[in-house]
Amino acid sequence: MMIIREATLSDAEGIAKVHVDSWRTTYKGIVSDVFLEQLSYKKRTESWIENIQRLDNYVVVAENDDGQIVGFADGGKRESNLIEHSGDLTAIYILEEYQGKGIGKKLVGKLSEHFKKLGYKKIFVEVLEDNKSRLFYEKLGAQYCETTKITIQGDELNLAIYKWENINSLLTPR
């Protein structure tokens, strides 16, 4: 049984652990090993405290039966997003051993409920082209828009941008 709920400040450390551990498994072979090794739980915790406190940001977590955070999703509206009535799924990470169990779909659904209340009709997501999780977005109906470049630790990588034209397709069934 998985609980999907809005994050609180006390979740920051658990979210940071999922974030760092997921980056290390998801981006191995895509992002430099040096960069991945330098990721810090402490720095990520501080960052997530800020993210949770931001009024223009919404964070949801997936919690297992033991109360451990095993995944999270984060979203709002990027400054670069100039499209009216749209928002951005800015992060979604799930510990590797919990992937493929429907948690991601539930996290996106919960985030989309919040976006709908804000009047958003479209949702965008950016994903490294070499990241296999882009297939998750495609399975949820996201349409490829374009590819841009991003630099991480001096490496230039392709960043694919996807969108969902209709937020209703992402809402969690009741």
Side-chain angles (χ1 to χ4, degrees):
M1 181 70 184
M2 205 58 55
I3 296 171
I4 308 295
R5 60 172 176 76
E6 184 175 355
T8 65
L9 282 177
S10 64
D11 295 323
E13 190 174 333
I15 293 169
K17 182 167 181 5
V18 171
H19 199 173
V20 169
D21 292 351
S22 293
W23 264 72
R24 288 180 176 156
T25 57
T26 302
Y27 299 119
K28 185 151 185 63
I30 299 173
V31 175
S32 83
D33 289 342
V34 171
F35 179 82
L36 295 175
E37 289 165 12
Q38 291 175 349
L39 293 173
S40 156
Y41 295 126
K42 184 179 184 298
K43 286 181 184 172
R44 281 289 156 193
T45 299
E46 292 166 4
S47 175
W48 281 106
I49 288 170
E50 290 176 23
N51 287 340
I52 293 167
Q53 289 178 324
R54 284 184 31 215
L55 297 177
D56 64 341
N57 200 50
Y58 189 68
V59 184
V60 293
V61 295
E63 186 178 84
N64 68 12
D65 288 339
D66 297 328
Q68 175 193 7
I69 293 173
V70 299
F72 70 91
D74 175 61
K77 187 164 178 98
R78 294 181 197 272
E79 284 185 27
S80 60
N81 180 348
L82 303 177
I83 309 235
E84 200 171 320
H85 305 296
S86 70
D88 299 280
L89 169 59
T90 52
I92 181 169
Y93 292 102
I94 300 165
L95 293 175
E96 193 171 47
E97 61 269 28
Y98 287 91
Q99 293 175 8
K101 301 179 185 303
I103 297 168
K105 186 175 183 178
K106 289 177 183 173
L107 287 167
V108 170
K110 185 78 167 168
L111 194 62
S112 297
E113 288 173 12
H114 178 73
F115 284 168
K116 182 151 179 126
K117 290 177 189 172
L118 295 175
Y120 296 165
K121 296 177 181 2
K122 296 179 186 179
I123 302 297
F124 291 90
V125 65
E126 298 176 351
V127 59
L128 289 177
E129 204 171 67
D130 291 338
N131 180 348
K132 65 183 179 193
S133 71
R134 68 185 167 73
L135 303 175
F136 164 75
Y137 302 126
E138 291 172 6
K139 188 176 176 183
L140 284 182
Q143 301 296 309
Y144 169 80
C145 295
E146 65 179 306
T147 299
T148 62
K149 300 284 186 186
I150 187 172
T151 302
I152 299 177
Q153 191 75 22
D155 294 326
E156 190 173 75
L157 303 168
N158 289 330
L159 187 69
I161 300 171
Y162 285 83
K163 74 176 171 183
W164 288 275
E165 276 292 335
N166 184 348
I167 193 172
N168 292 326
S169 68
L170 295 171
L171 298 175
T172 305
R174 298 216 175 255

